[in-house]
Every structure is written in C-alpha cells, then in structure tokens.
Amino acid sequence: MSSQRLPSGGRINRGRPLEFFFNGRRYEGFEGDTLASGLLANGIRLFGRSFKYHRPRGLFGSGSEEPNALVQLGEGASTIPNLKATQVELFDGLSARTVVGWPSLEIDLYAINNRIGRLLPAGFYYKTFMRPRFLWDWYEGRIRHAAGLGFAPTEPDSARYDKRNAHCDVLVVGAGPTGLMAALVAGRSGARVIVADEQAEMGGDLLSSTQHVSGACPWMFLDNLVKELSLMDNVMLLPRSTVSGYYDYNFLVINQRRTDHQAGIGDIVSRERNWRVRARQVVLATGAIERGLVFADNDRPGIMLSSAVRTYINRYAVRPGRTGAVFTNNDSAYQTAVEMHGAGMEVKGVIDVRQRPSQERLLQMDTLGIPVYSGHGVGGTRSGRQGLRAVELCRLSADGRDVLTQKGSLDCQVLAISGGWNPAIHLHCQSGGRPKYDDDQACFVPDKSVQSERSAGSALGIFQLGNCLSDGVDAGVHAVRETGYACAHIDIPYASDRTGSAIEPMWNVPDGVLPGRGGKKFVDYQNDTTAADIALAAREGYRSIEHVKRYTALGFGTDQGKTGNINGLAILAQHLGQSIPATGTTTFRPNYTPVTFGAIAGRELGTVFFDPVRKTPMHDWHVAHGAVFEDVGQWKRPWYYPKGGETMESAVRRECLATRKSIGLLDASTLGKIEVRGRDSAEFLNRIYTNAWSKLEINRCRYGLMLGEDGMVMDDGVSSRLGDNHYYMTTTTGGAAHVLGWLERWHQTEWPELEVFFTSVTDRWAVASIAGPNSRSLLDRLCSDIDLSAGAFPFMSLREGSVAGISARLFRISFSGELAFEINVSADDGVALWELLMEAGGEYGITPYGTETMHVLRAEKGYVIVGQDTDGSVTPADLGMDWIVSKTKDFIGKRSLARSDMLRDSRKQLVGLVTEQPETVLPEGTQLVNEPSTDYPVPMTGHVTSSYYSSTLGHSIALALIKGGHTRMGASVYAPTLDGQCIKAIISSPVFYDPENKLHKT
Amino acid sequence: MLSIDCPWCGSRDQSEFSYGGEAHIVRPKEPEKLSDEDWGDYLFNRKNTKGRFEEQWCHTAGCRRWFNAVRDSQSYKIEAVYKIGEQSPDGIPE
C-alpha cells in the first residue's frame, strides 16, 4: 500500500504529522485530515462492510452524506458509534474501528448473504421470521448480530454536555460561498448574525474548489472573507455545528461538537453544546449534495461521488487511486476529470450517458487527451482485492433505456460518478415549506417559504459559483431589510462559470441483462436497498413512497438517504408509470444528521432533572435514624424506620402498636398548604368544596372534598379559618400543585369578580404530628401558653402559641383515629422541634413512624386516600360521604352528581373487607368476583384499593370498591390470585377501629 | 416550539406555558336547570376546529395568568392574544 498523498497542495498542515489507529493498525496523517482522507492517503480503500449483504465498501462521499464508511470512535465510556469517517477529524492517537464485519473487516463470514442475495429480497425478515411467533426473540438476536452497526457505550459518559439559548437577527446555515456572502452583508449592516456550519472549517465547497473568485484563488478569497467576519463583534461563527432541526416560530436547534476533534480536553469544556436559537430571519445556504448513479455493481470500493474525488484531491491532497474514469449524466463531473488528470492520475475516459455532451466539454477533454464515451453507460464493474479494477462499457439506445452493444471495458481503480445534484432542502421542508420539482435540473428545490426563511445558492438549485455568490448577497440583503437594518454596500464578487449543468436524468442505468440477473444496483448503500427491491415493492402493490421507504428501508440509515433517496423515488415513479412530482418525497424530519443522547440531555442528567427531589426540613434526621424512604409525588417521605434487622412488616407492626398505645410521631410537612385570603374567600371555598364554609368559626377546622366538574373526587384536606377573610387550606401531598392551579384557573377565568388571593406556603412550614393516647400529656410538658384540655381546645380546632419555646400553630386533627396534634412551626425550626419532641417523649416511648404505618392507621379508621382509594371515577356517594355534600349551595361538580349514571345502584362503592383467614393479606389492586368460578370470563364485581395487616386488630383489613357494596354488608367476595387460589373475604364497614369515633375527640 | 406573547410578560417560549383547551366556554349560571344532555355538552363537548381557534393558555412558569389566544390549528401560528373577559378578535363575546 503505497502513499497516495500528493507532493504538494491541500489544506493539510504537513508540519503536523499525526499518528492514528484504524482496526488496530497504525497509520500516519496530517493535521487537517479527516479519518477518511488520512486512510485514503495510506492507500486504504476498504472501509467497511454493507449492512445486509456484507459486501466490501469504500468511501463514497466526503461529508455527512457518506453512507458506507461508518466507524466506532474511541473506546470505553466515551465511545461513539456509527460516525462517518468523512466527518471524523484526525488527531494524534485517534483510534477507530469499522462497525460491520465479523469476525473482521477483511474476512467477513456473513458475506455469504451476498451469495444468497436472491433469497433475501425486500421484506425478507418480515416474511420469513413471522412464524412461529415465540421464536422471534431468538431470530432477532441472530439478525441483530449479523446486521448490527456500532455499539452504544455501556458505562456512563464522563464528559459534560451543555445547552445554550440564543437569539439573533439572522441565522445563516451553511458557510459555503452563498452563506458567507449572506453573513457578510448582514454583519456589515450591523445585524446580530450566527453562522453555523457542520464542517471544521468555514468555506463549504470553496474548500474543494480551484475556481478563481474576483481574480483571486478561492482560498485567498475565503481567508479574507472569514477573517473579516471573525473580527465582527455582531457575528458569531460556529464551526462543527450542524443545524439539526428547524421548528415552529423560527426556532432552530444547532448541535455543536466541541471536543471530539482533539484528544484529552473532553473533561475541561463541554463535549457538545446544544444551541436553541430563535432567529428573526434564517438564510438556508445548505448547499447541494451530489447523487450517485444506479448501475450494476455500483458499490465497489473506488466508486465515489465525483464531488468527493474532487474534495480528496484539492482539499486533502490525496489521490484516490492511480487510474480513474468518470461516469456522468451532466457537465459538472468533467471538472473532476480535469482535476484527476492534474493530480497525476491516468484518466481512462469520461463515460457520459448523454448522446451529445457540450462541444466545450469535448474540446476540454480532447486537450487533455481524455476520451469521452458519449451515449454510453457502465453496464457492470469488476473488482480486485482492493476494490474496483475495471468498468464495463455499453452503448446505450437514444432514449437511454436499452443497451445496444457491449463495448469492452476500462481498467481503472477509481470511478467518479455524478447523477446530478440534490439541493439540501431538508431544513426548508422541516420549517413547513414544500419541495417543488425542477424538471430542467432534475431535482427538488424549495417551494414558497412558510416561516421567515429564504433558501439561497445551491440549496435553491443555483449551481454556479458566481450565481451562488450573488444570490448569497441577495439573501443577506433580504434578511437585513426584513429585520429593519440599513443595508451596507457590498461589491458582489464574480466567478467565471460555464453555464448550466445540462443534465439528462438517468435514474436506472441499463445493463443489458434480464431483470434479476446481472449485478446488484444499489440505491441506498447503507441499507443495501437495490433497484430490484424497489421494483419488487411496486409489483407487490406499494404505491406511496412512504410505504416503499419502510418496506425496503430506503433512506433509513444514519445518512438518511442523502445520496440515494431521489434515485429511489424516481425508480419507483418509473415502475408506477407516474411522474416524479406525483410520487413525491418522503417527509423531511429532524434531525439532519444523528445527534448524541448527551447533546439532547445536556446537564439535565439523572433523576434530579426528570423529577425534582423535595425533602422536608427534618429529612437529615430521618436519614440519620435509618428511615427507609418512599417517593410521594416529588417528595421523599420516610416509609418506615427499621430498628436493628427489622423487616418492614415488623417495623410497621411496632410503629402501629406504639402509636395506638402511647405516642407516634409523623413528619407531615409534605401536605400541600395554601393561604386563601380576601373578602370573598368564604364564597370562593363554597364553590370549590362540596360543603359550606361561610359559617366556620375562626380557629376552627373542617374537612373538605373537592370534585372535578364531572363530579368525581379530585382532592381532599382539612382547611381552617384563621381570620375573617383568611383561610388556610391543606391538600394531599401529591395534589398540591394541581390544586393551586385549579383555584387560580377558576378564579381567573370564571369568577374574576371575587376578591381572593392564593399563596402556596407548603415549604414554609414544618409539621410534626403526634398521635396516641399520651400525646396530650407530652404536649402539656412542652407547651405552657395553650390550654390543651378537650374543653378548651376541642377536636377540629387550632391554637397559636409556643411549643418548647418555638412559636407554633397547633391543629387538633387526626388521620389515625387517635388523640392527635399537628404542630406547625417555621420550616427553619422543624429539626429543633422534632428533636425536642423525641427527647421529651422518651419516657412515653415516642416512636417515629412513616407513611406505611400512617396508611395502616388510617385504613383501620376507613379514611380514604385520594388517588389510592379513588381513581377519578369515584363520587362522594361512592365513598359513603354524602354527609359532606351540600344540598343547598352550588359547587363545582354538583350538577354532575345528579346525572343518571351517578344514581345507579350498581356503582362501585367503598367498603371494608375482612379475609376469612385472618393472616391473609389481599394483594392491593386485585380484582374481586362474586363466585369462585373458572367459567371464564368471570364477571368482575370490584377491586381492592388498600390492604394491610392490622396488628392492632390481629387480622388483615382491606378497603375495596365493590358494585353495590353499601347494601352488601356481610356478603362474600373472592379474590383470585396469580397462583390459581381464590381468597374469600367478607364485606364489612370500612371503619374497623373505634367505630364510635370517640378516641380522637378525647 | 411556539413563541407565545403573554399579554403581561411579552414573548416567551412555549415551554413556559400550559394549554387550557377551548376558550369562551362559560360555566352555566344555574347548572341545576340544565338537562343532563346540556350539562354533558358543557362538560365534555369541544370543537375540533381546523383553522382559527380561540383557546386558553396559562403562563404557568411565569406570571401564572390565564389568557386567551387565537391560534391557527393548521399553521400553529398564534394570530392574537387577549385577556380573559375580553371579546375575541373574531367577535366571540367575553
């Protein structure tokens, strides 16, 4: 493998040689190389294997359009799969591997698929592995091994990723000649400009060009332009930045790669930055992508896009081979023949499907001694060990549909092909614009703008350099005027262009053999989709290009069919006997090129981002005392406090008994707390809650239910009156934010005439709830300024005073059925209060308990938890809570309670359940049936909503919603279990403990 | 992502807002006088307009105020915003 590096030229830095590794072998390249150009310079032509047939593949393109040369870059946690070698910048020590090929690139055992390719048509996997269904998992594993691309890292990426929001007047996408001119106009006019380009260097096609601009060599012109732009404070140049998506309201996302081109800085600065830009005007100077030609065996290593050959020679000073030829249907590839010749390659000929290429081109080739085979096609290719060895010539009929005669072959290592140019209209289409077919140029171009954007230059179907430069100026002027700036003067640079590309479309090059014989004609290289696959799809009845795409995988690869899609849809159009515009394109969706998960996640990583963690003021105490936590909404709540080696069961048993016998202590800080103030507070609460609030005395509390307008229970809680126009509402822990929004919405949108204000104070208060027969005795020791006797401080009332010197608001509220006090103090005093209570309560054996014990205690009393015992289909009557529903006033949801379905006797109603075997605890959520039958389907009669073992009562208890349950006391129901058993249970009152409701009022 | 003009705060990203569905649905003054069908209509039935559509939005992560917007459900363009209680540009009262 001799060096293919040209002795001079290119934009590489020959003073900075770099060492790199590919599939474990060491190579040398230069700063400014890509992995692709570096390997090509070392004579490497085999870059990978194809996805399905495992055919050897080489470079096809030179940028983000590359379908073949996919590599896995780096190792370990920061490895990235499926990068295009054409976009990987070389740095010292770089290491990459090919992604397809097993056990190795050179010897790929799956290449057998190529031999049996006739048996693997489009849809093969769907058709073959459908039955038996249970074997699919096994099949899938084998298919994935054979067909997989790169692998995702298995460890967390240690690199940082970030996001940045930005606004600008003009966003220029693409820094080729068009984009840079637009940026220059906008920059000189004073507009705030962002220029984003996916390449490492600004310049686009100028980087690969030898064509003079305004009399200067293109690189000198480019250097001056970029220098002027980089000195402008109002212009930001973003290289290595792909505009990956164009969304509503001129919102664009730019994905900037900041460190992958250098070794070892990934942990200092962020690896990638996700720019989220709101632009007033967008100039889409995204250029055009050359498309290939579809002919037999068109995938040999050495068959490359004509533009890529030009780029490797001019920009990277690499000769892609010793001998070459050109195959084209338009004028643009002739320049490649000129440059191959200039690079010292032996150019065997230009094969042109057109019968009459322009005289000017023929003369040019004649001068260089390059034969032109007009009216010819390539009917097949032959390969040697290192890829392409020869191409076979055919004389084509005048209409280009048939082969007239075989004309021998040309020996060549490189075939530069051009099937024409596709403007990169992706972003225009993502913005809502439509593509329009341009018959003369045989390509889709942007139709009318829908958002504030304008395509320019090649992206608009303008393919000559001089015209691109002036269209870039026009686009800049347009953007500047639209954003209200005075347009600066600018001299339009000129370039001498030959006019027109004179393209004659050739979508499927005939090879003179019967369909199904001859070589494969690849349309989509990455997915191994062939012209025959598309023909098959058409024969099988597929009509929509979207369906054909999904059936044949056309355009599904990481390159998204940038070089093959248009050829594919044109071939489909031919088979369907319809025009290309009638066939249409597939939908252009973000992202333009693949985006890493890191870039999308940014710094918003881990559980903290996906759901913020909220902790109570006493959280650290709970942690220090071994609490096991439960997530309730966003809150971390102690679930239970195991001692020694206690199981949850024994810890909960201990906590329950301690509370019932002496004192338990619960952190209730998480309950939602909303201050309601204003002249019309009482009236507002009357409308929100099912019960009446006007007559509640100051310092008294009341339990309230909120319904949705559909009559279903939405939230509950105790609210208190603190003053004439001042209420203090509590909500469920999980419902707090929703309830605040609910109050605000009704007030603002329906009853703005009511004077009422809401303030969330959930986090301002720490709440310690003491419950149990000894709680008053304990509090008596700590509280000297409140008379705690039942007469002076009755149940459902509140007092303000101090507890152990901490100013506090005390509520006599009970969620356990015991005598209980909820002590509210400032959040800052929460820990102090808690520790004082633990210390003073020592002689009573005060026991902190968590949410599990809280649940058991409240279930023993038949108190429901909204969201556990209700599910959005439960009314107050279903819960047996008619007593809380006012008959006299209106409230949200009231009318719904009178709908016929609400009055049905067979509604599911809340009841208690006691199992026949006292130790058996019903699984929560289990369905209930009336008879232990196996005559399926067994009619359901309800389900269990809460279920626990009650240590206090010595048997299990459950709450359930059962059809007509309120009138079925004493009846039996059955809970079928997963293991085929059927647990018998008896319907009872949901109040299991202290049914006379005396204890909590003592 | 839409850019929405909050009548109080100005232009902000859509991610600061929450959607409230069709606007100008007034809660009946005397619900008990409505038939089940009429009440069900108020409760459940909403337009599914193609084109200009009046809807409620709330600047949830901002000033927390509700307001109305006219949005084109085809182009997603927000044609106008106006405060609760104001007449819509297309003449729908209050």
Side-chain angles (χ1 to χ4, degrees), chain A residues 53 67 184 244 264 300 313 353 406 560 608 643 691 698 708 713 777 788 809 842 861 871 895 990 993:
Chain A
Y53 300 119
L184 187 68
S244 53
R300 310 271 189 217
I313 293 172
V353 300
Q406 307 287 342
Q560 292 283 288
V608 177
K643 274 187 174 174
N691 48 350
I698 290 172
V713 173
S777 310
L788 299 171
R809 197 182 270 166
K861 281 295 294 177
D871 59 4
R895 175 64 185 81
Y993 179 75

Side-chain angles (χ1 to χ4, degrees), chain A residues 862 864 869 878-880 908-912 945 959-962 966 990:
Chain A
V864 298
D869 302 298
D878 297 340
L879 295 175
K908 283 189 178 179
Q909 295 163 338
L910 186 84
V911 294
T945 59
L959 301 178
L961 288 165
I962 292 180
H966 289 161

Side-chain angles (χ1 to χ4, degrees), chain A residues 592-636:
Chain A
Y592 179 70
T593 51
V595 174
T596 63
F597 283 113
I600 295 166
R603 294 187 182 185
E604 291 140 349
L605 286 174
T607 51
V608 177
F609 166 65
F610 287 110
D611 213 1
V613 173
R614 300 177 77 181
K615 296 172 182 171
T616 74
M618 291 82 104
H619 184 83
D620 290 347
W621 189 95
H622 303 318
V623 173
H625 291 79
V628 177
F629 289 87
E630 178 185 31
D631 291 335
V632 183
Q634 295 164 334
W635 289 97
K636 294 282 177 202

Side-chain angles (χ1 to χ4, degrees), chain A residues 19 374 381 516 592-593 679 716 725 814 837 907:
Chain A
E19 172 188 68
S374 53
T381 66
Y592 179 70
T593 51
R679 197 180 57 219
D716 70 344
N725 297 320
S814 177
L837 288 170
R907 288 186 65 81

Side-chain angles (χ1 to χ4, degrees), chain A residues 5 83 127 146 162 202 257 303-304 316 388 564 641 693 720 723 811 864 870 953:
Chain A
R5 187 75 70 181
L83 288 174
K127 288 168 180 164
D162 66 13
M202 298 276 156
R257 296 164 296 280
I303 299 178
M304 304 165 80
Y316 300 107
L388 184 69
Y641 299 81
W693 291 78
S720 312
F811 294 82
V864 298
T870 70
L953 301 169

Side-chain angles (χ1 to χ4, degrees), chain A residues 544-555:
Chain A
S544 155
I545 184 66
E546 297 282 9
H547 294 159
V548 171
K549 168 180 174 169
R550 282 150 186 81
Y551 191 54
T552 64
L554 171 70

